[in-house]
Amino acid sequence: NTQTNRILANVSAGLNIYKGLNYKLNVSTDQTRATRKVTQDAQLSYMTDKGTAAINNVELGSSMIENYLTYDLNLNETNRFNFLAGHSYQKFRIYTYGLSATGFASGDVDNLNDLSLGKYTQATISSDVTVNELQSFFGRVNYTLMDKYLVTVNFRADGSTKFGKNNKYGYFPSTALAWSMNEEGFIKSIGISNYQESQ
């Protein structure tokens, strides 16, 4: 028999700091608790050491906080910029613990209700915890010229506690170019954009 309880929560908030300058905060959590109980009666033909009972628990936790700062800058009607800077932090925790016992002679009582009825001095006890963290810093610049030509430049640094001590972060730059052809005069003149909209 396994019982699992899970709680998911997410909260976001935004703030307009100045004209074109905005801040956004996002906080979320995911918490899970699971208990698995297994019992086997001594009368089962394959049992070699009478009845058994085992209780195992798992606690999974994940929490995250994200910060975003964006700024829209319009130099004129043909030149526009959009800037983004952000930070993200996430923590994971996995905690497992349990115990099991054998030697339950009586089938009249559920072994799980009283582990002392078995060979409790020979019970097996286990526990383990794993904690990992992720942290990222990222930025992006979008430039638009005449609503036709677009340039995007991205850069992010991602760190993890799983990485080696001398190399905690990985760095990932990227760029992209785009051309909005349907804004060109020669495309409009042949009616391609109008044809696509009609379809």
Side-chain angles (χ1 to χ4, degrees):
N1 180 39
T2 301
Q3 179 177 331
T4 302
N5 298 311
R6 188 178 187 187
I7 297 175
L8 295 166
N10 185 83
V11 176
S12 295
L15 175 65
N16 179 244
I17 301 174
Y18 185 70
K19 183 179 180 180
L21 181 62
N22 296 281
Y23 169 73
K24 182 180 179 180
L25 170 68
N26 184 56
V27 179
S28 61
T29 186
D30 183 351
Q31 303 294 327
T32 300
R33 302 289 184 271
T35 299
R36 180 171 176 79
K37 298 179 179 180
V38 179
T39 182
Q40 299 182 89
D41 193 274
Q43 315 245 345
L44 293 170
S45 60
Y46 58 83
M47 297 301 297
T48 59
D49 194 11
K50 300 183 178 179
T52 67
I55 303 174
N56 294 287
N57 300 276
V58 179
E59 297 181 4
L60 306 175
S62 172
S63 299
M64 182 173 64
I65 181 170
E66 297 174 311
N67 298 279
Y68 299 94
L69 196 64
T70 59
Y71 181 55
D72 293 312
L73 175 63
N74 298 328
L75 297 180
N76 48 49
E77 293 183 356
T78 59
N79 293 273
R80 297 200 308 271
F81 286 90
N82 172 264
F83 301 91
L84 178 143
H87 169 260
S88 175
Y89 172 79
Q90 190 168 12
K91 184 175 183 178
F92 303 89
R93 184 177 185 271
I94 304 174
Y95 180 38
T96 60
Y97 55 99
L99 56 88
S100 62
T102 62
F104 293 88
S106 174
D108 297 331
V109 179
D110 187 341
N111 301 339
L112 293 167
N113 291 335
D114 193 349
L115 296 180
S116 66
L117 295 177
K119 298 178 180 178
Y120 63 89
T121 58
Q122 300 177 22
T124 301
I125 301 173
S126 63
S127 64
D128 183 67
V129 63
T130 301
V131 178
N132 290 306
E133 297 173 89
L134 294 175
Q135 181 168 240
S136 299
F137 300 91
F138 46 89
R140 184 190 67 212
V141 178
N142 288 330
Y143 171 64
T144 303
L145 175 62
M146 297 185 296
D147 290 326
K148 301 178 185 179
Y149 315 107
L150 301 93
V151 180
T152 299
V153 178
N154 296 282
F155 183 83
R156 65 182 298 132
D158 296 319
S160 171
T161 53
K162 293 184 178 181
F163 294 167
K165 291 183 179 180
N166 298 326
N167 189 27
K168 283 295 183 183
Y169 284 86
Y171 303 96
F172 307 95
S174 65
T175 186
L177 303 174
W179 176 26
S180 184
M181 296 177 61
N182 62 331
E183 294 297 327
E184 295 289 355
F186 68 91
I187 294 294
K188 292 181 178 181
S189 66
I190 58 179
I192 292 180
S193 59
N194 292 333
Y195 173 77
Q196 291 176 336
E197 290 175 0
S198 65
Q199 294 297 310

